[in-house]
Amino acid sequence: MSLYKGQPLVLKVAAGALGLVAVGALVVAATSSDGSALADGADKSFFVDITKVKPNVKKPRPENDATTGTFTVDCGRNENKHFNPDNFIAQPGVRNGAQHLHDYVGNLDTDADSNNKSLEAAGTTCKNGDKSAYFWPVIRIDDDDDQTKTVSCPDVKSKLPDVPSQAKAEVDRNLQLLKTQIDEADKRLAKNENPRDKNFNQNAIVGPLKDKRVATIDRIAIAIGRNAQKPQGLEKLAPCQLGEGKANENEL
């Protein structure tokens, strides 16, 4: 569990009593005009020290024919580092829709653009082949109010037509490459390589990122076009915008 100023935190769900405790932060989610999610900041008054909360879980009385056994699904401990701040159930198609980081095990496709078809076609980390998406929230620790530059890019996966099975592997590789390109750009922006040149980030990072995305998106269209009608207009999704986001150097 993450710590905030040396103490673990839980969300206080009722004044004066804790009938239920959940890890996380209270936010009011909304969506901006560009499709990105927005949220109010966390109110520290909603948190209590988890070490001071008494256990209050009562075991239910077994009813007729109730099972008394247990089962275990071994899906690992997210060794493949599958995490994102998406919530494809409550905010499908919205990047950062969860407003907090999620760690995942099980299904390998889980992100903002997941659907029944993509989840069924994906692999899993579970040893028994279970393709369920198991995930849990990770508390972000913000030590200060510093703003870090990030890039915001249109999503490509959600704009694709049905991908022929013959092209799926190649399309998936290039979709993953698009994510890698964004991550690399964000890492460069975080370094603040040339703060004296106000145009440096746009000219040296965001501009070249567009060129990389154009080439990658074109490979996706070509792969689909070998076995189905080639999608048109995907190049419009290549340009990214420079924005600001909270520094999350202490995410766990």
Side-chain angles (χ1 to χ4, degrees), residues 14-92:
L18 283 174
L20 177 66
V21 174
V23 179
L26 186 66
V27 297
V28 178
T31 304
S32 65
S33 59
D34 64 356
S36 59
L38 305 173
D40 295 337
D43 185 343
K44 294 180 182 179
S45 66
F46 285 102
F47 295 90
V48 295
D49 183 352
I50 195 173
T51 62
K52 299 179 181 179
V53 178
K54 295 181 179 179
N56 62 354
V57 178
K58 296 181 180 179
K59 291 185 177 180
R61 183 173 60 87
E63 300 292 340
N64 293 336
D65 300 324
T67 178
T68 58
T70 62
F71 71 93
T72 301
V73 179
D74 184 357
C75 299
R77 299 182 178 180
N78 198 15
E79 290 88 350
N80 61 325
K81 299 187 183 300
H82 180 187
F83 54 84
N84 59 53
D86 301 341
N87 188 333
F88 71 98
I89 298 175
Q91 294 271 29

Side-chain angles (χ1 to χ4, degrees), residues 6-162:
Q7 293 294 339
L9 298 177
V10 296
L11 180 61
K12 189 162 43 176
V13 296
L18 283 174
L20 177 66
V21 174
V23 179
L26 186 66
V27 297
V28 178
T31 304
S32 65
S33 59
D34 64 356
S36 59
L38 305 173
D40 295 337
D43 185 343
K44 294 180 182 179
S45 66
F46 285 102
F47 295 90
V48 295
D49 183 352
I50 195 173
T51 62
K52 299 179 181 179
V53 178
K54 295 181 179 179
N56 62 354
V57 178
K58 296 181 180 179
K59 291 185 177 180
R61 183 173 60 87
E63 300 292 340
N64 293 336
D65 300 324
T67 178
T68 58
T70 62
F71 71 93
T72 301
V73 179
D74 184 357
C75 299
R77 299 182 178 180
N78 198 15
E79 290 88 350
N80 61 325
K81 299 187 183 300
H82 180 187
F83 54 84
N84 59 53
D86 301 341
N87 188 333
F88 71 98
I89 298 175
Q91 294 271 29
V94 178
R95 297 288 177 183
N96 195 31
Q99 298 300 327
H100 54 257
L101 196 68
H102 280 155
D103 265 9
Y104 297 90
V105 295
N107 200 286
L108 297 174
D109 182 70
T110 317
D111 59 25
D113 305 308
S114 296
N115 54 46
N116 289 339
K117 189 174 182 179
S118 66
L119 291 171
E120 184 178 1
T124 179
T125 64
C126 299
K127 292 183 178 180
N128 68 346
D130 182 1
K131 291 191 176 184
S132 301
Y134 298 97
F135 55 99
W136 55 90
V138 180
I139 295 177
R140 296 179 177 181
I141 304 175
D142 289 333
D143 293 330
D144 51 47
D145 293 328
D146 289 344
Q147 297 290 320
T148 299
K149 295 289 185 182
T150 59
V151 290
S152 176
C153 304
D155 177 62
V156 175
K157 182 177 179 180
S158 62
K159 302 299 189 297
L160 296 179
D162 288 340

